Amino acid sequence: MALTKARKLGLTGKILIGMGAGILFGLLLRNLFPESTFIENYVTEGFLNVIGTIFVSGLKMIVVPLVFISLVCGTCSLSDPSKLGRLGGKTIAFYLFTTAIALSVAISVAILIHPGSASLVSDGLVFNAKEAPSLSQVLINIVPTNPLQAMSEGNMLQIILFAVIFGFAISHIGERGRRVAALFNDLNEVIMRVVTLIMQLAPYGVFALMAKLALTLGIETFGSVVKYFFVVLTVLLLHAFVVYPSLLKLLAGLNPFTFIRKMRDVQLFAFSTASSNATLPVTIETAEHRLGVDNKVASFTLPLGATINMDGTAIMQGVATVFIAQVYGIDLTITDYAMVVITATLASIGTAGVPGVGLIMLAMVLNQVGLPVEGIALIIGVDRLLDMVRTAVNVTGDTVATVVIAKSEKEFNEVTFNDSQAGKAASSFNDQLNAK
């Protein structure tokens, strides 16, 4: 009987168990063996690091083939160029709109709660900000000189552009194109099965990631910036569970509770990995098979969102800007706050695909309003945990945009969205494995 119940336990339940067990395991080792070099070398950086890294690497392994194959499949079925242009315009406009909302709410809440204190400032603060690329360089870099190199480096904007062009060409060469399209559709089914296989490892990967986090992230880290931490966390949760559901109901007329229930796996993956790209295979699988979004839309909007949609990062930047201004005793005007919103919103696209993009964007924002970039050093200690939460917020925003746009383009199956059993392929496949 117990075995039967264990088999029926869904992926979400298994991930939650793995997450809770990992945190407890990490805290237990931390308290029983404080400052143990053996635990640090062989458990934290050894066993747990190996398992967690392998899991995240497995997800990242399929991101490029999944995005390329899925996007080619979606694009080659769009023979009308105007539809593709309309889809792109709607997607970028939606992402910019929600980013502006995120920033505005973050700044308003931070001003109201006032998390910064002048007592936190220190002459020893140092932060070396990387220089952001110019807009012209970003535009130039979108076009790949070598598509294979773009794939090997995981440059998502270049991969997206090449896949769109490739898929568009397939749709315009007649019978030969249809044969190639059929091949890509078969490859898409294969890659989705690979996603299903890797998802079976999720509870173990999440256990290792959470245990390592509990072992390495001390409570003392939060001491000086605890108020900042909880302000950012509050706004992130507000954006994920109030703003997004409201937009979903207002713009698509769909039940937000159904959406949130079906997004649990994606949010848990995003929280565990702290990477929108690593979570992308699960996001696409969920959008298509559980939420009823057609591949033509999901294959375009989700990879683009994983690259340029940074609402969670924008919330951190909004609160951090106010926090740093308060710490240094600098009064920002309404104009300054408006510049923060505009700069950070546009920078979310302008710095897309750049490593360490969150801190680069924050440095740009601080420079724009004359705040010391060194203040970033104050918040780096708690940024890892907040990064996990804001990644979950980002993927939620990507999926809300995808559902809303799919509904507006009539590429959405509402029956699948409302079906509580839709997308249970992973569970049934797991049952088949157990039976063997």
Side-chain angles (χ1 to χ4, degrees):
M1 181 66 70
L3 181 60
T4 303
K5 288 183 178 178
R7 286 183 178 180
K8 288 183 178 179
L9 187 65
L11 182 63
T12 302
K14 293 176 182 177
I15 293 175
L16 284 172
I17 291 172
M19 185 177 291
I23 293 172
L24 289 175
F25 180 71
L27 291 175
L28 185 64
L29 288 183
R30 185 185 183 87
N31 291 322
L32 290 177
F33 308 100
E35 300 181 7
S36 168
T37 54
F38 177 84
I39 295 296
E40 181 179 352
N41 293 334
Y42 294 99
V43 179
T44 307
E45 297 302 328
F47 173 73
L48 295 175
N49 184 56
V50 169
I51 299 299
T53 302
I54 287 175
F55 169 61
V56 175
S57 297
L59 287 170
K60 289 183 176 180
M61 170 185 70
I62 56 174
V63 168
V64 170
L66 172 65
V67 169
F68 180 71
I69 292 170
S70 183
L71 195 48
V72 168
C73 289
T75 307
C76 69
S77 62
L78 293 173
S79 55
D80 183 5
S82 64
K83 188 168 185 178
L84 184 61
R86 187 172 67 247
L87 190 63
K90 284 183 179 180
T91 304
I92 293 174
F94 191 96
Y95 289 147
L96 290 176
F97 174 66
T98 56
T99 301
I101 291 176
L103 277 161
S104 302
V105 173
I107 290 172
S108 301
V109 173
I111 292 172
L112 183 65
I113 297 179
H114 202 284
S117 170
S119 62
L120 296 176
V121 72
S122 169
D123 294 333
L125 291 177
V126 177
F127 180 79
N128 297 317
K130 296 180 182 178
E131 185 178 350
S134 64
L135 179 59
S136 59
Q137 191 60 44
V138 170
L139 293 174
I140 291 171
N141 289 342
I142 290 176
V143 181
T145 55
N146 185 340
L148 294 180
Q149 182 181 359
M151 292 179 187
S152 68
E153 294 175 352
N155 191 317
M156 296 308 296
L157 285 179
Q158 293 186 354
I159 294 169
I160 289 170
L161 180 64
F162 180 68
V164 168
I165 295 171
F166 194 82
F168 185 74
I170 289 174
S171 68
H172 284 76
I173 58 171
E175 181 59 34
R176 287 170 295 181
R178 284 189 284 275
R179 291 199 298 268
V180 176
L183 172 63
F184 270 89
N185 284 323
D186 290 341
L187 289 173
N188 192 49
E189 291 298 319
V190 173
I191 205 72
M192 293 310 296
R193 179 47 60 93
V194 175
V195 172
T196 302
L197 285 169
I198 293 177
M199 284 170 68
Q200 309 311 311
L201 302 175
Y204 312 103
V206 168
F207 170 85
L209 291 169
M210 291 297 102
K212 183 183 177 184
L213 182 69
L215 278 163
T216 56
L217 192 64
I219 298 298
E220 63 275 6
T221 306
F222 296 86
S224 60
V225 289
V226 63
K227 202 170 181 181
Y228 162 82
F229 175 85
F230 282 107
V231 170
V232 176
L233 184 62
T234 299
V235 181
L236 285 169
L237 295 176
L238 183 69
H239 199 66
F241 296 107
V242 177
V243 175
Y244 285 144
S246 299
L247 289 174
L248 187 69
K249 183 66 176 177
L250 182 65
L251 300 178
L254 297 171
N255 188 333
F257 297 104
T258 300
F259 174 82
I260 291 171
R261 187 178 68 252
K262 292 192 172 188
M263 279 294 293
R264 286 180 301 192
D265 288 351
V266 179
Q267 291 169 336
L268 288 171
F269 267 89
F271 180 82
S272 304
T273 62
S275 170
S276 295
N277 280 337
T279 312
L280 193 54
V282 187
T283 315
I284 291 177
E285 197 271 346
T286 299
E288 292 184 8
H289 297 108
R290 301 208 66 194
L291 297 175
V293 178
D294 193 277
N295 175 262
K296 291 191 285 290
V297 176
S299 63
F300 180 81
T301 57
L302 289 173
L304 188 60
T307 308
I308 71 171
N309 182 41
M310 301 178 188
D311 289 1
T313 305
I315 287 169
M316 177 273 289
Q317 292 163 355
V319 176
T321 301
V322 177
F323 174 77
I324 291 170
Q326 291 168 352
V327 166
Y328 285 92
I330 300 172
D331 293 325
L332 298 179
T333 65
I334 295 296
T335 304
D336 290 330
Y337 288 127
M339 286 305 300
V340 170
V341 173
I342 294 170
T343 304
T345 302
L346 295 178
S348 66
I349 290 181
T351 54
V354 179
V357 63
L359 294 179
I360 290 175
M361 288 170 62
L362 180 54
M364 289 173 61
V365 171
L366 295 178
N367 282 325
Q368 185 67 39
V369 292
L371 291 175
V373 175
E374 292 78 16
I376 296 177
L378 282 169
I379 62 175
I380 284 182
V382 298
D383 195 62
R384 167 63 183 171
L385 191 53
L386 288 175
D387 188 27
M388 298 166 73
V389 181
R390 64 178 181 251
T391 303
V393 173
N394 287 341
V395 298
T396 303
D398 297 343
T399 315
V400 167
T402 298
V403 170
V404 169
I405 292 166
K407 186 82 183 292
S408 71
E409 291 289 317
K410 295 181 174 56
E411 301 289 353
F412 178 75
N413 189 330
E414 196 161 344
V415 174
T416 301
F417 179 88
N418 291 318
D419 183 4
S420 61
Q421 298 303 311
K424 296 295 185 181
S427 299
S428 62
F429 183 63
N430 192 33
D431 290 340
Q432 292 172 24
L433 288 178
N434 289 335
K436 292 178 182 179

PDB file of all heavy atoms in Angstrom, residues 204-230:
ATOM      1  N   TYR A 204      16.217  14.456  -6.604  1.00  0.00           N
ATOM      2  CA  TYR A 204      17.573  14.232  -6.114  1.00  0.00           C
ATOM      3  C   TYR A 204      18.462  15.454  -6.350  1.00  0.00           C
ATOM      4  O   TYR A 204      19.255  15.834  -5.475  1.00  0.00           O
ATOM      5  CB  TYR A 204      18.174  12.997  -6.799  1.00  0.00           C
ATOM      6  CG  TYR A 204      17.243  11.811  -6.778  1.00  0.00           C
ATOM      7  CD1 TYR A 204      16.527  11.431  -7.918  1.00  0.00           C
ATOM      8  CD2 TYR A 204      17.048  11.074  -5.608  1.00  0.00           C
ATOM      9  CE1 TYR A 204      15.648  10.360  -7.897  1.00  0.00           C
ATOM     10  CE2 TYR A 204      16.171   9.994  -5.572  1.00  0.00           C
ATOM     11  CZ  TYR A 204      15.479   9.652  -6.726  1.00  0.00           C
ATOM     12  OH  TYR A 204      14.610   8.594  -6.687  1.00  0.00           O
ATOM     13  N   GLY A 205      18.302  16.076  -7.517  1.00  0.00           N
ATOM     14  CA  GLY A 205      19.057  17.289  -7.816  1.00  0.00           C
ATOM     15  C   GLY A 205      18.676  18.426  -6.885  1.00  0.00           C
ATOM     16  O   GLY A 205      19.539  19.159  -6.383  1.00  0.00           O
ATOM     17  N   VAL A 206      17.383  18.580  -6.638  1.00  0.00           N
ATOM     18  CA  VAL A 206      16.897  19.635  -5.740  1.00  0.00           C
ATOM     19  C   VAL A 206      17.396  19.387  -4.310  1.00  0.00           C
ATOM     20  O   VAL A 206      17.786  20.326  -3.610  1.00  0.00           O
ATOM     21  CB  VAL A 206      15.355  19.698  -5.780  1.00  0.00           C
ATOM     22  CG1 VAL A 206      14.821  20.575  -4.646  1.00  0.00           C
ATOM     23  CG2 VAL A 206      14.888  20.239  -7.122  1.00  0.00           C
ATOM     24  N   PHE A 207      17.389  18.124  -3.875  1.00  0.00           N
ATOM     25  CA  PHE A 207      17.915  17.785  -2.543  1.00  0.00           C
ATOM     26  C   PHE A 207      19.360  18.274  -2.396  1.00  0.00           C
ATOM     27  O   PHE A 207      19.715  18.924  -1.406  1.00  0.00           O
ATOM     28  CB  PHE A 207      17.849  16.271  -2.326  1.00  0.00           C
ATOM     29  CG  PHE A 207      18.580  15.802  -1.095  1.00  0.00           C
ATOM     30  CD1 PHE A 207      17.947  15.810   0.143  1.00  0.00           C
ATOM     31  CD2 PHE A 207      19.900  15.366  -1.170  1.00  0.00           C
ATOM     32  CE1 PHE A 207      18.610  15.391   1.286  1.00  0.00           C
ATOM     33  CE2 PHE A 207      20.578  14.959  -0.037  1.00  0.00           C
ATOM     34  CZ  PHE A 207      19.936  14.966   1.201  1.00  0.00           C
ATOM     35  N   ALA A 208      20.191  17.965  -3.386  1.00  0.00           N
ATOM     36  CA  ALA A 208      21.605  18.347  -3.319  1.00  0.00           C
ATOM     37  C   ALA A 208      21.778  19.863  -3.342  1.00  0.00           C
ATOM     38  O   ALA A 208      22.589  20.426  -2.589  1.00  0.00           O
ATOM     39  CB  ALA A 208      22.367  17.708  -4.490  1.00  0.00           C
ATOM     40  N   LEU A 209      21.030  20.551  -4.203  1.00  0.00           N
ATOM     41  CA  LEU A 209      21.141  22.011  -4.305  1.00  0.00           C
ATOM     42  C   LEU A 209      20.716  22.690  -3.010  1.00  0.00           C
ATOM     43  O   LEU A 209      21.364  23.630  -2.544  1.00  0.00           O
ATOM     44  CB  LEU A 209      20.293  22.521  -5.472  1.00  0.00           C
ATOM     45  CG  LEU A 209      20.771  22.149  -6.883  1.00  0.00           C
ATOM     46  CD1 LEU A 209      19.700  22.480  -7.922  1.00  0.00           C
ATOM     47  CD2 LEU A 209      22.068  22.877  -7.212  1.00  0.00           C
ATOM     48  N   MET A 210      19.609  22.241  -2.417  1.00  0.00           N
ATOM     49  CA  MET A 210      19.119  22.853  -1.181  1.00  0.00           C
ATOM     50  C   MET A 210      20.037  22.540   0.006  1.00  0.00           C
ATOM     51  O   MET A 210      20.258  23.390   0.861  1.00  0.00           O
ATOM     52  CB  MET A 210      17.701  22.358  -0.879  1.00  0.00           C
ATOM     53  CG  MET A 210      16.636  22.844  -1.843  1.00  0.00           C
ATOM     54  SD  MET A 210      16.433  24.642  -1.839  1.00  0.00           S
ATOM     55  CE  MET A 210      17.318  25.070  -3.338  1.00  0.00           C
ATOM     56  N   ALA A 211      20.565  21.319   0.059  1.00  0.00           N
ATOM     57  CA  ALA A 211      21.471  20.956   1.144  1.00  0.00           C
ATOM     58  C   ALA A 211      22.741  21.791   1.083  1.00  0.00           C
ATOM     59  O   ALA A 211      23.225  22.290   2.117  1.00  0.00           O
ATOM     60  CB  ALA A 211      21.816  19.460   1.057  1.00  0.00           C
ATOM     61  N   LYS A 212      23.278  21.983  -0.116  1.00  0.00           N
ATOM     62  CA  LYS A 212      24.484  22.806  -0.265  1.00  0.00           C
ATOM     63  C   LYS A 212      24.199  24.251   0.134  1.00  0.00           C
ATOM     64  O   LYS A 212      25.024  24.903   0.786  1.00  0.00           O
ATOM     65  CB  LYS A 212      24.983  22.738  -1.706  1.00  0.00           C
ATOM     66  CG  LYS A 212      26.273  23.515  -1.916  1.00  0.00           C
ATOM     67  CD  LYS A 212      26.732  23.507  -3.364  1.00  0.00           C
ATOM     68  CE  LYS A 212      27.978  24.367  -3.515  1.00  0.00           C
ATOM     69  NZ  LYS A 212      28.408  24.468  -4.935  1.00  0.00           N
ATOM     70  N   LEU A 213      23.030  24.758  -0.252  1.00  0.00           N
ATOM     71  CA  LEU A 213      22.665  26.130   0.103  1.00  0.00           C
ATOM     72  C   LEU A 213      22.574  26.286   1.620  1.00  0.00           C
ATOM     73  O   LEU A 213      23.095  27.260   2.180  1.00  0.00           O
ATOM     74  CB  LEU A 213      21.324  26.496  -0.540  1.00  0.00           C
ATOM     75  CG  LEU A 213      20.824  27.930  -0.286  1.00  0.00           C
ATOM     76  CD1 LEU A 213      21.694  28.934  -1.008  1.00  0.00           C
ATOM     77  CD2 LEU A 213      19.370  28.070  -0.715  1.00  0.00           C
ATOM     78  N   ALA A 214      21.941  25.328   2.293  1.00  0.00           N
ATOM     79  CA  ALA A 214      21.796  25.393   3.750  1.00  0.00           C
ATOM     80  C   ALA A 214      23.153  25.320   4.452  1.00  0.00           C
ATOM     81  O   ALA A 214      23.347  25.919   5.511  1.00  0.00           O
ATOM     82  CB  ALA A 214      20.900  24.259   4.235  1.00  0.00           C
ATOM     83  N   LEU A 215      24.096  24.602   3.850  1.00  0.00           N
ATOM     84  CA  LEU A 215      25.423  24.478   4.442  1.00  0.00           C
ATOM     85  C   LEU A 215      26.281  25.724   4.251  1.00  0.00           C
ATOM     86  O   LEU A 215      27.154  26.027   5.057  1.00  0.00           O
ATOM     87  CB  LEU A 215      26.153  23.268   3.840  1.00  0.00           C
ATOM     88  CG  LEU A 215      25.818  21.905   4.449  1.00  0.00           C
ATOM     89  CD1 LEU A 215      26.271  20.784   3.532  1.00  0.00           C
ATOM     90  CD2 LEU A 215      26.462  21.774   5.823  1.00  0.00           C
ATOM     91  N   THR A 216      26.043  26.453   3.160  1.00  0.00           N
ATOM     92  CA  THR A 216      26.921  27.575   2.820  1.00  0.00           C
ATOM     93  C   THR A 216      26.339  28.941   3.153  1.00  0.00           C
ATOM     94  O   THR A 216      27.078  29.917   3.254  1.00  0.00           O
ATOM     95  CB  THR A 216      27.260  27.556   1.317  1.00  0.00           C
ATOM     96  OG1 THR A 216      26.047  27.560   0.551  1.00  0.00           O
ATOM     97  CG2 THR A 216      28.065  26.326   0.960  1.00  0.00           C
ATOM     98  N   LEU A 217      25.023  29.043   3.321  1.00  0.00           N
ATOM     99  CA  LEU A 217      24.400  30.339   3.553  1.00  0.00           C
ATOM    100  C   LEU A 217      24.091  30.494   5.040  1.00  0.00           C
ATOM    101  O   LEU A 217      23.140  29.920   5.543  1.00  0.00           O
ATOM    102  CB  LEU A 217      23.106  30.470   2.732  1.00  0.00           C
ATOM    103  CG  LEU A 217      22.489  31.857   2.639  1.00  0.00           C
ATOM    104  CD1 LEU A 217      23.412  32.814   1.908  1.00  0.00           C
ATOM    105  CD2 LEU A 217      21.141  31.799   1.943  1.00  0.00           C
ATOM    106  N   GLY A 218      24.899  31.265   5.727  1.00  0.00           N
ATOM    107  CA  GLY A 218      24.727  31.452   7.165  1.00  0.00           C
ATOM    108  C   GLY A 218      23.701  32.511   7.504  1.00  0.00           C
ATOM    109  O   GLY A 218      23.474  33.440   6.731  1.00  0.00           O
ATOM    110  N   ILE A 219      23.083  32.377   8.675  1.00  0.00           N
ATOM    111  CA  ILE A 219      22.107  33.350   9.141  1.00  0.00           C
ATOM    112  C   ILE A 219      22.748  34.716   9.328  1.00  0.00           C
ATOM    113  O   ILE A 219      22.111  35.749   9.123  1.00  0.00           O
ATOM    114  CB  ILE A 219      21.473  32.881  10.480  1.00  0.00           C
ATOM    115  CG1 ILE A 219      20.738  31.565  10.288  1.00  0.00           C
ATOM    116  CG2 ILE A 219      20.530  33.939  11.044  1.00  0.00           C
ATOM    117  CD1 ILE A 219      19.583  31.634   9.309  1.00  0.00           C
ATOM    118  N   GLU A 220      24.052  34.718   9.680  1.00  0.00           N
ATOM    119  CA  GLU A 220      24.725  35.993   9.920  1.00  0.00           C
ATOM    120  C   GLU A 220      24.772  36.865   8.674  1.00  0.00           C
ATOM    121  O   GLU A 220      24.930  38.085   8.748  1.00  0.00           O
ATOM    122  CB  GLU A 220      26.154  35.738  10.423  1.00  0.00           C
ATOM    123  CG  GLU A 220      27.074  35.011   9.450  1.00  0.00           C
ATOM    124  CD  GLU A 220      26.940  33.488   9.511  1.00  0.00           C
ATOM    125  OE1 GLU A 220      26.044  32.991  10.222  1.00  0.00           O
ATOM    126  OE2 GLU A 220      27.715  32.810   8.825  1.00  0.00           O
ATOM    127  N   THR A 221      24.624  36.220   7.506  1.00  0.00           N
ATOM    128  CA  THR A 221      24.635  36.962   6.246  1.00  0.00           C
ATOM    129  C   THR A 221      23.526  38.006   6.215  1.00  0.00           C
ATOM    130  O   THR A 221      23.682  39.063   5.611  1.00  0.00           O
ATOM    131  CB  THR A 221      24.436  35.977   5.060  1.00  0.00           C
ATOM    132  OG1 THR A 221      25.426  34.957   5.154  1.00  0.00           O
ATOM    133  CG2 THR A 221      24.583  36.686   3.738  1.00  0.00           C
ATOM    134  N   PHE A 222      22.409  37.718   6.852  1.00  0.00           N
ATOM    135  CA  PHE A 222      21.240  38.578   6.775  1.00  0.00           C
ATOM    136  C   PHE A 222      21.259  39.738   7.780  1.00  0.00           C
ATOM    137  O   PHE A 222      20.433  40.627   7.703  1.00  0.00           O
ATOM    138  CB  PHE A 222      19.957  37.758   7.015  1.00  0.00           C
ATOM    139  CG  PHE A 222      19.699  36.733   5.972  1.00  0.00           C
ATOM    140  CD1 PHE A 222      20.278  35.480   6.057  1.00  0.00           C
ATOM    141  CD2 PHE A 222      18.892  37.015   4.890  1.00  0.00           C
ATOM    142  CE1 PHE A 222      20.042  34.525   5.077  1.00  0.00           C
ATOM    143  CE2 PHE A 222      18.652  36.062   3.914  1.00  0.00           C
ATOM    144  CZ  PHE A 222      19.231  34.815   4.008  1.00  0.00           C
ATOM    145  N   GLY A 223      22.195  39.678   8.704  1.00  0.00           N
ATOM    146  CA  GLY A 223      22.171  40.608   9.820  1.00  0.00           C
ATOM    147  C   GLY A 223      21.909  42.064   9.481  1.00  0.00           C
ATOM    148  O   GLY A 223      20.948  42.664   9.958  1.00  0.00           O
ATOM    149  N   SER A 224      22.754  42.649   8.631  1.00  0.00           N
ATOM    150  CA  SER A 224      22.683  44.086   8.385  1.00  0.00           C
ATOM    151  C   SER A 224      21.639  44.481   7.347  1.00  0.00           C
ATOM    152  O   SER A 224      21.240  45.639   7.284  1.00  0.00           O
ATOM    153  CB  SER A 224      24.063  44.601   7.956  1.00  0.00           C
ATOM    154  OG  SER A 224      24.481  43.940   6.779  1.00  0.00           O
ATOM    155  N   VAL A 225      21.216  43.520   6.538  1.00  0.00           N
ATOM    156  CA  VAL A 225      20.311  43.888   5.440  1.00  0.00           C
ATOM    157  C   VAL A 225      19.000  43.104   5.492  1.00  0.00           C
ATOM    158  O   VAL A 225      18.361  42.870   4.472  1.00  0.00           O
ATOM    159  CB  VAL A 225      21.003  43.666   4.066  1.00  0.00           C
ATOM    160  CG1 VAL A 225      22.095  44.677   3.827  1.00  0.00           C
ATOM    161  CG2 VAL A 225      21.550  42.247   3.947  1.00  0.00           C
ATOM    162  N   VAL A 226      18.609  42.695   6.707  1.00  0.00           N
ATOM    163  CA  VAL A 226      17.417  41.870   6.844  1.00  0.00           C
ATOM    164  C   VAL A 226      16.168  42.596   6.346  1.00  0.00           C
ATOM    165  O   VAL A 226      15.291  41.990   5.724  1.00  0.00           O
ATOM    166  CB  VAL A 226      17.247  41.414   8.316  1.00  0.00           C
ATOM    167  CG1 VAL A 226      17.025  42.598   9.240  1.00  0.00           C
ATOM    168  CG2 VAL A 226      16.123  40.406   8.460  1.00  0.00           C
ATOM    169  N   LYS A 227      16.073  43.898   6.587  1.00  0.00           N
ATOM    170  CA  LYS A 227      14.899  44.653   6.168  1.00  0.00           C
ATOM    171  C   LYS A 227      14.837  44.736   4.637  1.00  0.00           C
ATOM    172  O   LYS A 227      13.775  44.570   4.036  1.00  0.00           O
ATOM    173  CB  LYS A 227      14.934  46.057   6.775  1.00  0.00           C
ATOM    174  CG  LYS A 227      13.568  46.717   6.863  1.00  0.00           C
ATOM    175  CD  LYS A 227      13.638  47.986   7.699  1.00  0.00           C
ATOM    176  CE  LYS A 227      12.256  48.632   7.808  1.00  0.00           C
ATOM    177  NZ  LYS A 227      12.287  49.891   8.587  1.00  0.00           N
ATOM    178  N   TYR A 228      16.008  44.972   4.025  1.00  0.00           N
ATOM    179  CA  TYR A 228      16.092  44.985   2.548  1.00  0.00           C
ATOM    180  C   TYR A 228      15.643  43.647   1.984  1.00  0.00           C
ATOM    181  O   TYR A 228      14.849  43.574   1.030  1.00  0.00           O
ATOM    182  CB  TYR A 228      17.527  45.289   2.117  1.00  0.00           C
ATOM    183  CG  TYR A 228      17.833  44.904   0.680  1.00  0.00           C
ATOM    184  CD1 TYR A 228      17.483  45.736  -0.378  1.00  0.00           C
ATOM    185  CD2 TYR A 228      18.462  43.691   0.386  1.00  0.00           C
ATOM    186  CE1 TYR A 228      17.764  45.368  -1.693  1.00  0.00           C
ATOM    187  CE2 TYR A 228      18.734  43.323  -0.914  1.00  0.00           C
ATOM    188  CZ  TYR A 228      18.382  44.163  -1.949  1.00  0.00           C
ATOM    189  OH  TYR A 228      18.644  43.791  -3.254  1.00  0.00           O
ATOM    190  N   PHE A 229      16.127  42.551   2.583  1.00  0.00           N
ATOM    191  CA  PHE A 229      15.795  41.211   2.120  1.00  0.00           C
ATOM    192  C   PHE A 229      14.280  40.982   2.105  1.00  0.00           C
ATOM    193  O   PHE A 229      13.712  40.516   1.114  1.00  0.00           O
ATOM    194  CB  PHE A 229      16.483  40.172   3.007  1.00  0.00           C
ATOM    195  CG  PHE A 229      16.121  38.748   2.684  1.00  0.00           C
ATOM    196  CD1 PHE A 229      16.794  38.059   1.693  1.00  0.00           C
ATOM    197  CD2 PHE A 229      15.113  38.094   3.378  1.00  0.00           C
ATOM    198  CE1 PHE A 229      16.460  36.747   1.385  1.00  0.00           C
ATOM    199  CE2 PHE A 229      14.767  36.784   3.086  1.00  0.00           C
ATOM    200  CZ  PHE A 229      15.450  36.111   2.089  1.00  0.00           C
ATOM    201  N   PHE A 230      13.629  41.326   3.197  1.00  0.00           N
ATOM    202  CA  PHE A 230      12.201  41.050   3.305  1.00  0.00           C
ATOM    203  C   PHE A 230      11.356  42.005   2.454  1.00  0.00           C
ATOM    204  O   PHE A 230      10.272  41.620   2.004  1.00  0.00           O
ATOM    205  CB  PHE A 230      11.758  41.075   4.768  1.00  0.00           C
ATOM    206  CG  PHE A 230      12.113  39.824   5.509  1.00  0.00           C
ATOM    207  CD1 PHE A 230      13.128  39.821   6.447  1.00  0.00           C
ATOM    208  CD2 PHE A 230      11.460  38.633   5.231  1.00  0.00           C
ATOM    209  CE1 PHE A 230      13.478  38.649   7.114  1.00  0.00           C
ATOM    210  CE2 PHE A 230      11.795  37.459   5.888  1.00  0.00           C
ATOM    211  CZ  PHE A 230      12.810  37.468   6.832  1.00  0.00           C
TER     212      PHE A 230
END
